[in-house]
Amino acid sequence: FLHHIAQAGVRSTPLYRANLFKRRSRFTIQDCAVEVDHILVNGAAIQSIAIESEHADQVLAVRSALGLEQFENIAYPLAISRILGLSPLPDEEDYE
């Protein structure tokens, strides 16, 4: 099955493999579900924090209380794509 779906003729874009390890901690802050993840993608260590609530104002308040406003909000597929070198890093043109 994997061989079949990985064939370039079957898919319009190629598939890539990444080794992933994830350690998750969950708790509640100000009635928001918060998840802190420590992730290894092909040996590259990243951290992720998710804040969830039905009320956007509560999410924004917890985000502010944790001092996370300056951090980019991205999905795992984009983060993994960046680690694999398939997508540019933010402000990549500023790197030397």
Side-chain angles (χ1 to χ4, degrees):
F1 175 73
L2 291 176
H3 176 73
H4 176 72
I5 63 168
Q7 291 176 349
V10 176
R11 299 184 39 83
S12 60
T13 58
L15 292 178
Y16 296 91
R17 178 177 177 231
N19 295 312
L20 184 96
F21 171 81
K22 180 177 179 180
R23 178 173 293 139
R24 176 183 300 162
S25 300
R26 294 181 179 164
F27 47 93
T28 302
I29 299 176
Q30 297 175 8
D31 296 323
C32 290
V34 178
E35 179 177 299
V36 176
D37 298 327
H38 298 275
I39 305 148
L40 290 174
V41 180
N42 286 359
I46 59 174
Q47 292 181 340
S48 172
I49 299 176
I51 305 166
E52 299 176 345
S53 173
E54 295 176 8
H55 308 287
D57 57 331
Q58 285 181 316
V59 171
L60 295 175
V62 171
R63 180 180 182 212
S64 178
L66 295 175
L68 300 174
E69 297 94 346
Q70 73 272 18
F71 294 100
E72 181 183 27
N73 182 14
I74 64 168
Y76 279 127
L78 176 56
I80 293 169
S81 179
R82 287 176 174 173
I83 290 169
L84 295 178
L86 303 172
S87 296
L89 296 170
D91 303 321
E92 187 172 274
E93 65 277 357
D94 296 334
Y95 299 146
E96 293 183 17

